[in-house]
Amino acid sequence: MIPAPGPSLLFSILAGAAPPLPVQDAPPPTGEGRPEITVSREVSDVPKTMTAAEAKPALERYLRWLVVNQKPTGAWGTGVLECYFEQGFEVETYYAWQVAAHGLACVALVEAEETPERRAAMERALDWLATTRIPKRGSHWDVDNNWSTLYGLVACVRAADDPRVTGERRARLEARGKEFLASLAANQVPEGGWAYYDDPPFTRRPTWSTSFCTALILPTLARAKELGWTYEPRMLERAKEYVKRCALPNGAYEYDLRPIPRITGGEHINDVKGSLGRIQVCNWGLSASGEGFATPDRIRRGLEAFFEHHRFLDVARMRPIPHEGYYANAGYFYYFGHYYAALAIEELPAEEREAWHARLRPHLIKAQRKDGSTSDFLDSTYMITASTSYAALALQLGMPERRAAR
C-alpha cells in the first residue's frame, strides 16, 4: 500500500537497516510477541483451486485476528514509526497509514458475516474513524495523507449503505465522509487523479498521480454522488478519464500517466508482469462505476494474466525494498492486487464467478500466519492490519452466504 521510498529511506536501506524499533505504546498483535513469519503451508503444497468451504476456516481466522487485536479505542496499530526500513517519511505519514489501514479493517468487518463480537468491533472501529483527527499533508513532497482520505471515504460510504449503521453514528460518518470528499477535491491533480507523493515544482494542489490510487475510489465516488454527498461535478468524470488514459495496448495500465508511456523493453513496471495488480483495480474501478471501457472480455484477459504471471507477485511478497522484484513489483502489490482481483471477478456474469474465486483462494491463504494475520511487506502494525483486511475482504467476496445476501 505504501509507495517507493524517499531519499532518507533509500539511504538507510542501502546502508543496511537495523531491526524494527520497539514501540512502547503498541501491544504486540497476539499479546505474545510478534507473529511468526511462517506460512500455513509450503508453497509447493498449494492447491490450484479451493472451494468456499475449504477456505472458510482461514477467513474466520483473519476476522478473528481483527477482533482480538483491536484496541479498546477502536483502532488498530499505531501512528508512529515502527521500523527503521520506513525512515525518511514525514511524522504525519505514519498516522496517515494507520488511518488508511483502519479504513480497510472497517470495511472488512462491515462485510463480514455478523457475530456479536464482530458487530461490537465494527461499531468501535467506525466510531474511531468518525472522530479521530484527519491526517494532514506531511510536507511539500509527502502527500501520503491521500491514503487515509481514499480508504477513509471508502469505509464511510460502505458504512452508510449498511442498515445496521443508524442514528448519530451514521450522521457522524456522513459528516466525516464529506470531509474526506472535500480533501479529495482539494488534492485532485489537474489531469484528474490522486497519488501519495508530489513532484517539483511543489504546489498546494499536487501534480502527480497514479492509476491505481485513482481507480480504487471511482465506484465510491459514484455511490457518494447517489447518496447526495455533493462534490465538484466533474471530479468523477475527470478521474475516469485519467484511468482510461493510463490503459496500454499490451493490456497493462501505466503506473502513472505519461505523455510517452514508460516502456523501455526488458523488465519494466508497465509490462503486464509489472501491472498485475493495477490491471485488476483499474478494470474493476471503471466497470463498477459504470464505464463501459472495462468490458467483461477485458476483465477476463486481466484475470488470466494475473494467474499466468502470478509468480512475479509471489517472488516480491515480503521483500523489504520497494519495487525490488522482477518487473519492479513491490511486496505491497500482493494483497492489494488480490483484493481487487476478487472485486473484478464480481463484475463478471454470476455463473462465471465461482471458478475464478476458486483459483484465487489458495493464494489468499497460503501465507496466513498461525495467529490468523498476514502481511506482504515488512511487519509494521499498519501493514499487518491492511494485509489481513485485504485478504479477509477478498475471501468474503466469494462466499456463498454473501452471494445469497445480494
Side-chain angles (χ1 to χ4, degrees):
M1 191 172 72
I2 64 169
S8 298
L9 176 60
L10 183 59
F11 177 80
S12 67
I13 291 169
L14 294 176
L21 286 170
V23 181
Q24 298 301 322
D25 64 341
T30 63
E32 298 177 356
R34 287 284 188 181
E36 297 182 33
I37 309 181
T38 55
V39 298
S40 58
R41 60 175 73 206
E42 294 295 328
V43 172
S44 60
D45 295 334
V46 175
K48 292 186 180 297
T49 62
M50 184 177 289
T51 66
E54 290 171 328
K56 188 66 180 288
L59 171 59
E60 295 294 319
R61 290 193 296 271
Y62 281 134
L63 293 171
R64 178 62 180 164
W65 186 91
L66 289 174
V67 170
V68 168
N69 290 277
Q70 186 183 39
K71 294 182 176 182
T73 60
W76 286 270
T78 73
V80 300
L81 173 66
E82 297 182 32
C83 174
Y84 277 129
F85 274 98
E86 293 175 325
Q87 289 186 99
F89 295 96
E90 299 303 318
V91 172
E92 186 75 351
T93 289
Y94 307 108
Y95 173 61
W97 291 340
Q98 180 193 22
V99 175
H102 183 96
L104 282 165
C106 286
V107 179
L109 290 171
V110 169
E111 295 286 355
E113 188 176 10
E114 183 174 309
T115 66
E117 294 79 13
R118 291 174 194 166
R119 175 70 177 266
M122 178 194 76
E123 291 176 347
R124 288 193 299 270
L126 292 174
D127 288 345
W128 189 87
L129 180 66
T131 57
T132 194
R133 176 178 64 81
I134 291 183
K136 301 176 181 178
R137 180 171 177 166
S139 70
H140 61 302
W141 66 271
D142 192 344
V143 199
D144 273 294
N145 63 305
N146 271 348
W147 281 119
S148 57
T149 301
L150 292 166
Y151 280 121
L153 180 59
V154 169
C156 288
V157 168
R158 181 61 192 87
D161 280 333
D162 193 300
R164 297 171 295 177
V165 180
T166 59
E168 184 179 349
R169 177 173 290 118
R170 191 186 191 286
R172 288 199 305 266
L173 286 164
E174 180 175 340
R176 177 49 52 94
K178 290 177 179 178
E179 289 180 283
F180 285 136
L181 268 174
S183 178
L184 279 183
N187 288 294
Q188 187 174 30
V189 307
E191 289 84 358
W194 292 273
Y196 37 82
Y197 286 169
D198 199 15
D199 287 330
F202 300 109
T203 54
R204 184 198 61 78
R205 182 182 292 277
T207 59
W208 185 69
S209 56
T210 68
S211 59
F212 51 95
C213 284
T214 308
L216 75 85
I217 202 64
L218 296 181
T220 297
L221 286 176
R223 181 59 185 146
K225 188 175 183 179
E226 293 172 350
L227 290 170
W229 298 5
T230 58
Y231 53 84
E232 193 274 314
R234 286 278 299 157
M235 184 161 69
L236 175 57
E237 295 308 314
R238 291 171 60 228
K240 287 182 181 180
E241 286 301 313
Y242 179 90
V243 176
K244 287 193 292 184
R245 289 171 65 194
C246 287
L248 296 171
N250 63 359
Y253 285 84
E254 286 189 271
Y255 195 90
D256 55 337
L257 182 62
R258 299 294 179 103
I260 300 176
R262 293 188 296 169
I263 301 179
T264 56
E267 291 179 24
H268 199 279
I269 198 167
N270 285 336
D271 187 282
V272 169
K273 296 170 186 176
S275 183
L276 297 174
R278 296 197 303 282
I279 291 170
Q280 315 314 317
V281 69
C282 291
N283 282 342
W284 166 76
L286 290 169
S287 177
S289 60
E291 189 60 51
F293 179 84
T295 63
D297 281 344
R298 189 180 188 95
I299 292 171
R300 291 186 193 101
R301 288 195 300 272
L303 288 168
E304 285 291 0
F306 184 82
F307 290 110
E308 179 183 357
H309 303 299
H310 192 276
R311 62 191 180 278
F312 294 104
L313 294 172
D314 284 324
V315 169
R317 195 187 73 83
M318 289 306 291
R319 287 184 177 240
I321 301 176
H323 304 295
E324 183 186 9
Y326 299 109
Y327 296 93
N329 278 291
Y332 43 78
F333 288 6
Y334 191 90
Y335 287 111
F336 178 95
H338 286 71
Y339 172 47
Y340 290 104
L343 283 169
I345 290 168
E346 293 296 295
E347 294 300 301
L348 294 174
E351 63 272 16
E352 297 182 34
R353 296 173 193 166
E354 173 54 27
W356 288 107
H357 282 299
R359 295 173 68 181
L360 187 67
R361 292 181 187 117
H363 299 296
L364 291 161
I365 295 172
K366 66 189 182 186
Q368 187 176 40
R369 297 169 177 175
K370 292 179 180 179
D371 71 343
S373 70
T374 192
S375 182
D376 54 19
F377 179 73
L378 304 182
D379 261 336
S380 296
T381 53
Y382 82 90
M383 186 56 76
I384 298 172
T385 303
S387 297
T388 303
S389 299
Y390 278 135
L393 281 163
L395 286 174
Q396 285 170 169
L397 284 163
M399 289 294 155
E401 60 268 21
R402 184 183 186 277
R403 290 197 292 271
R406 295 179 71 186

